[in-house]
Amino acid sequence: MKPVTLLTGFLLPALLISCSDAPIEPLKTSDLAVDIVITAQQVFSGDGSASKAVDIAICGEIICAISPKGLVIYDAKKVINADGLVVSPGFIDPHTHSLAELTESKTASNINYLTQGVTTVINGNDGAGIVDVGTLKRQLSQQGIGTNTALLVGHGSIRERVMGRSERHANAYELSQMIALTEQAMKDGAIGLSTGLYYVPGSYASTDEVIALAKVAAKYHGIYDTHLRDESTFNIGFTNAVDEAINIAKSADIHLHLAHIKALGVDVWGQSEAVINKVNKAIAAGVSISADQYPWQASGTHLHSAVVPKWLMADSVDKFHQRLNNPTLKLKIDKEISENIRRRGGADALLFTVADDQSLVGKTLAQVAKTRAISIVNLVRQLVQQTPIRVASFNMSSDDINRFMVQPWVVTSSDGTNGHPRKYASFPKKYRQYVKDDGLLSLSQFIKQSSYATAKALKLPKRGLLKVGNFADIIAFNADKLKDNANFSNWNVLSTGIETVIVNGVVTIEHGKYNKALAGKVISNTNPH
Ligand SMILES: [Zn+2]
């Protein structure tokens, strides 16, 4: 009999840790006020190690004991028998756009994430994070939310507040205002700064501007999360954009998180190798880097963000439309729009997913242009002047996806947006396709990439790992039945197979059913100030 190690902190009688062939007697404990015990054969802690048969005791919102299965009898108010299920930390999604749901009481449960096993979502990515983090935090805490969330403050939002959508670099006064706004957001608990250097208005910023703001985030233990300036050949090129991000991280001495890493479009297919080499080299040189990835070949964005040149969208919507309809600019604009469509794989590779005009939804740009007997560029010109339309852009190669997925610094995300099934099905899809079907990842690796590795990268304290003292965010799922049910025809169908979800010690899904609990919290940075 091997010595028994308990993580509970209480002492075992000598007879239990001595070598003996005698069966171990269960040890009744009375010193812990246990609310819930989960007992299971297959428990993954989240750190990438193999599963163990353990009992997890929860006191209030905290994991208060973990012991070998059956060894300790807990006096618990509730026992969850999860034998036959996989138990793991609740998943953490580092890139979502779920504030619209979380801030609305009808949808605050974040049910489409809970049913993926996600107990924590990050918001504020792509440079679009709300500037007034303090106000938002209070609103969410008072109203109640189904999952935890942590907030990034957005560089694009800060820039827009200070200088609108001006297509120029910031002057010293404007920069000082942006620094002050970043500082306030970090003091209010933002976990870092996000940029969307591909999008307007982030695209108009210099590298130095971003470094100045990233330094402020670093001061408060924050991270730098970036949607790269270029994931393709739109402006500086994919590999140069990665260099820029690494340079920002080095200069600001901050953790770099590359959002939804991908090689977008045929021009850069295969460049995953060069990018992986760059990241590994930088990590070896002491730069702290992580990335997330959603397991789909299509990205999703607004039509105008996908194909309209950024200079055209400067200043305001009115100015955008004026330039678009200026006959002297017509040739130049048409050429650039056509080129952007080509980069994304052509008009057949752009699928309309959300639009007021329902006749568009489910059809490709090429199909609609043909039906309406109009040129592709002219159709784009018409559509981008209407209410925003979303597209799925089929632009990635499976080789690049697979290559990125197995890197130890890559974690799971959804980047969930309306119209794209990734909002409902990313974690179950990754499990089904890449663990079960392809065997690219082990179950333990997948869980680590979806929990502890993410918590570590984002510096979320006491999350993502089943460990005594950590918050009790725990899920149990049926490995045979965990299933992604959403697809591009039906993008908003809930995933199934998650049997139990516990958020901060509160059971919110039991036997696969949501019980209306709103147990999430707003997670703040580990601000030393
Ligand atoms: Zn993005």
PDB file of all heavy atoms in Angstrom, residues 298-310:
ATOM      1  N   ALA A 298     -13.872  28.696 -40.686  1.00  0.00           N
ATOM      2  CA  ALA A 298     -14.419  30.000 -41.084  1.00  0.00           C
ATOM      3  C   ALA A 298     -14.310  30.983 -39.944  1.00  0.00           C
ATOM      4  O   ALA A 298     -14.591  30.650 -38.792  1.00  0.00           O
ATOM      5  CB  ALA A 298     -15.881  29.852 -41.483  1.00  0.00           C
ATOM      6  N   SER A 299     -13.903  32.203 -40.253  1.00  0.00           N
ATOM      7  CA  SER A 299     -13.983  33.279 -39.274  1.00  0.00           C
ATOM      8  C   SER A 299     -15.344  33.945 -39.458  1.00  0.00           C
ATOM      9  O   SER A 299     -16.122  33.572 -40.338  1.00  0.00           O
ATOM     10  CB  SER A 299     -12.843  34.279 -39.475  1.00  0.00           C
ATOM     11  OG  SER A 299     -12.931  34.881 -40.748  1.00  0.00           O
ATOM     12  N   GLY A 300     -15.618  34.956 -38.638  1.00  0.00           N
ATOM     13  CA  GLY A 300     -16.904  35.633 -38.770  1.00  0.00           C
ATOM     14  C   GLY A 300     -16.746  37.096 -38.428  1.00  0.00           C
ATOM     15  O   GLY A 300     -16.121  37.427 -37.422  1.00  0.00           O
ATOM     16  N   THR A 301     -17.277  37.949 -39.250  1.00  0.00           N
ATOM     17  CA  THR A 301     -17.147  39.377 -38.977  1.00  0.00           C
ATOM     18  C   THR A 301     -18.213  40.136 -39.777  1.00  0.00           C
ATOM     19  O   THR A 301     -19.041  39.539 -40.455  1.00  0.00           O
ATOM     20  CB  THR A 301     -15.714  39.861 -39.317  1.00  0.00           C
ATOM     21  OG1 THR A 301     -15.524  41.186 -38.819  1.00  0.00           O
ATOM     22  CG2 THR A 301     -15.454  39.852 -40.815  1.00  0.00           C
ATOM     23  N   HIS A 302     -18.176  41.456 -39.670  1.00  0.00           N
ATOM     24  CA  HIS A 302     -19.078  42.249 -40.495  1.00  0.00           C
ATOM     25  C   HIS A 302     -18.569  42.282 -41.926  1.00  0.00           C
ATOM     26  O   HIS A 302     -17.352  42.273 -42.166  1.00  0.00           O
ATOM     27  CB  HIS A 302     -19.181  43.679 -39.947  1.00  0.00           C
ATOM     28  CG  HIS A 302     -20.005  43.775 -38.702  1.00  0.00           C
ATOM     29  ND1 HIS A 302     -19.486  44.174 -37.488  1.00  0.00           N
ATOM     30  CD2 HIS A 302     -21.327  43.520 -38.490  1.00  0.00           C
ATOM     31  CE1 HIS A 302     -20.449  44.147 -36.585  1.00  0.00           C
ATOM     32  NE2 HIS A 302     -21.574  43.760 -37.157  1.00  0.00           N
ATOM     33  N   LEU A 303     -19.496  42.392 -42.853  1.00  0.00           N
ATOM     34  CA  LEU A 303     -19.095  42.465 -44.265  1.00  0.00           C
ATOM     35  C   LEU A 303     -18.130  43.626 -44.496  1.00  0.00           C
ATOM     36  O   LEU A 303     -17.109  43.478 -45.174  1.00  0.00           O
ATOM     37  CB  LEU A 303     -20.346  42.615 -45.147  1.00  0.00           C
ATOM     38  CG  LEU A 303     -20.066  42.761 -46.647  1.00  0.00           C
ATOM     39  CD1 LEU A 303     -19.421  41.483 -47.213  1.00  0.00           C
ATOM     40  CD2 LEU A 303     -21.360  43.070 -47.417  1.00  0.00           C
ATOM     41  N   HIS A 304     -18.440  44.790 -43.897  1.00  0.00           N
ATOM     42  CA  HIS A 304     -17.560  45.939 -44.145  1.00  0.00           C
ATOM     43  C   HIS A 304     -16.162  45.708 -43.568  1.00  0.00           C
ATOM     44  O   HIS A 304     -15.168  46.065 -44.178  1.00  0.00           O
ATOM     45  CB  HIS A 304     -18.175  47.252 -43.640  1.00  0.00           C
ATOM     46  CG  HIS A 304     -18.436  47.316 -42.170  1.00  0.00           C
ATOM     47  ND1 HIS A 304     -19.677  47.116 -41.637  1.00  0.00           N
ATOM     48  CD2 HIS A 304     -17.628  47.535 -41.126  1.00  0.00           C
ATOM     49  CE1 HIS A 304     -19.615  47.227 -40.319  1.00  0.00           C
ATOM     50  NE2 HIS A 304     -18.379  47.482 -39.984  1.00  0.00           N
ATOM     51  N   SER A 305     -16.088  45.065 -42.388  1.00  0.00           N
ATOM     52  CA  SER A 305     -14.763  44.787 -41.819  1.00  0.00           C
ATOM     53  C   SER A 305     -13.995  43.787 -42.671  1.00  0.00           C
ATOM     54  O   SER A 305     -12.764  43.823 -42.737  1.00  0.00           O
ATOM     55  CB  SER A 305     -14.888  44.222 -40.403  1.00  0.00           C
ATOM     56  OG  SER A 305     -15.469  45.171 -39.551  1.00  0.00           O
ATOM     57  N   ALA A 306     -14.731  42.895 -43.311  1.00  0.00           N
ATOM     58  CA  ALA A 306     -14.076  41.853 -44.101  1.00  0.00           C
ATOM     59  C   ALA A 306     -13.476  42.386 -45.399  1.00  0.00           C
ATOM     60  O   ALA A 306     -12.374  41.989 -45.778  1.00  0.00           O
ATOM     61  CB  ALA A 306     -15.076  40.730 -44.408  1.00  0.00           C
ATOM     62  N   VAL A 307     -14.180  43.283 -46.082  1.00  0.00           N
ATOM     63  CA  VAL A 307     -13.751  43.595 -47.459  1.00  0.00           C
ATOM     64  C   VAL A 307     -13.541  45.076 -47.790  1.00  0.00           C
ATOM     65  O   VAL A 307     -12.995  45.391 -48.848  1.00  0.00           O
ATOM     66  CB  VAL A 307     -14.733  42.987 -48.498  1.00  0.00           C
ATOM     67  CG1 VAL A 307     -14.812  41.474 -48.340  1.00  0.00           C
ATOM     68  CG2 VAL A 307     -16.122  43.595 -48.408  1.00  0.00           C
ATOM     69  N   VAL A 308     -13.976  45.982 -46.900  1.00  0.00           N
ATOM     70  CA  VAL A 308     -13.835  47.409 -47.234  1.00  0.00           C
ATOM     71  C   VAL A 308     -12.479  47.919 -46.737  1.00  0.00           C
ATOM     72  O   VAL A 308     -12.109  47.669 -45.589  1.00  0.00           O
ATOM     73  CB  VAL A 308     -14.980  48.240 -46.597  1.00  0.00           C
ATOM     74  CG1 VAL A 308     -14.746  49.733 -46.797  1.00  0.00           C
ATOM     75  CG2 VAL A 308     -16.328  47.831 -47.183  1.00  0.00           C
ATOM     76  N   PRO A 309     -11.711  48.650 -47.586  1.00  0.00           N
ATOM     77  CA  PRO A 309     -10.435  49.194 -47.128  1.00  0.00           C
ATOM     78  C   PRO A 309     -10.630  50.147 -45.945  1.00  0.00           C
ATOM     79  O   PRO A 309     -11.622  50.878 -45.894  1.00  0.00           O
ATOM     80  CB  PRO A 309      -9.884  49.958 -48.335  1.00  0.00           C
ATOM     81  CG  PRO A 309     -10.800  49.693 -49.464  1.00  0.00           C
ATOM     82  CD  PRO A 309     -12.023  48.995 -48.970  1.00  0.00           C
ATOM     83  N   LYS A 310      -9.659  50.121 -45.003  1.00  0.00           N
ATOM     84  CA  LYS A 310      -9.829  50.866 -43.751  1.00  0.00           C
ATOM     85  C   LYS A 310      -9.841  52.394 -43.957  1.00  0.00           C
ATOM     86  O   LYS A 310     -10.535  53.115 -43.241  1.00  0.00           O
ATOM     87  CB  LYS A 310      -8.729  50.493 -42.753  1.00  0.00           C
ATOM     88  CG  LYS A 310      -8.665  49.008 -42.423  1.00  0.00           C
ATOM     89  CD  LYS A 310      -9.920  48.514 -41.731  1.00  0.00           C
ATOM     90  CE  LYS A 310      -9.900  47.023 -41.459  1.00  0.00           C
ATOM     91  NZ  LYS A 310     -10.717  46.206 -42.349  1.00  0.00           N
TER      92      LYS A 310
END
